[in-house]
Amino acid sequence: MWGTGRANKGRPTEATHWIEVRAVVARIAADHALSARLWLTAARFHASSARRDLPSARTCLDHAYQEWRGVTDEDVIDELASTLRAMCRQDPYYTSLDRHLLHKTAHSHQD
């Protein structure tokens, strides 16, 4: 990720911040798939057992979901939906996401 891991070795919070910045830039550039993937990467970090920051993880999942809704490539839609579902299952108290939408097919994900 543009050398972020090496440049910030030992400073994972700062590295995650820059992943989130890249996600925002991808959103502005209308690259919804990249933005969603970056938000999911940040969510994984925040939810990791070593750093457990569930509010931040949930916020990242919300952003990833919003970006997922803008993706048009059917394969990417399915891939991201699968990842979003898996991450939501890891946090049974996370209820912000409209989970039934994640079970729709790629053809109907924007309905």
Side-chain angles (χ1 to χ4, degrees):
M1 302 204 150
W2 295 348
T4 302
R6 276 193 301 271
N8 293 309
K9 194 171 189 172
R11 298 183 305 195
T13 302
E14 185 175 337
T16 302
H17 166 76
W18 288 110
I19 291 169
E20 293 171 359
V21 168
R22 287 185 58 213
V24 170
V25 171
R27 178 186 53 81
I28 292 167
D31 189 339
H32 301 291
L34 177 59
S35 183
R37 285 185 176 110
L38 290 167
W39 283 119
L40 288 169
T41 298
R44 279 188 204 98
F45 169 77
H46 290 302
S48 71
S49 58
R51 301 209 39 95
R52 229 38 197 165
D53 181 357
L54 292 180
S56 293
R58 291 170 184 149
T59 298
C60 290
L61 284 175
D62 286 338
H63 289 301
Y65 174 68
Q66 291 304 315
E67 294 305 317
W68 172 79
R69 295 184 69 193
V71 175
T72 57
D73 181 295
E74 293 178 10
D75 292 331
V76 176
I77 290 166
D78 292 339
E79 168 207 333
L80 291 172
S82 176
T83 304
L84 280 163
R85 276 193 302 272
M87 293 189 74
C88 289
R89 283 188 206 112
Q90 293 176 5
D91 182 358
Y93 300 105
Y94 178 65
T95 58
S96 297
L97 233 157
D98 191 355
R99 294 178 190 210
H100 83 277
L101 286 176
L102 293 176
H103 294 285
K104 288 187 173 186
T105 66
H107 297 291
S108 62
H109 97 287
Q110 293 183 6
D111 292 343

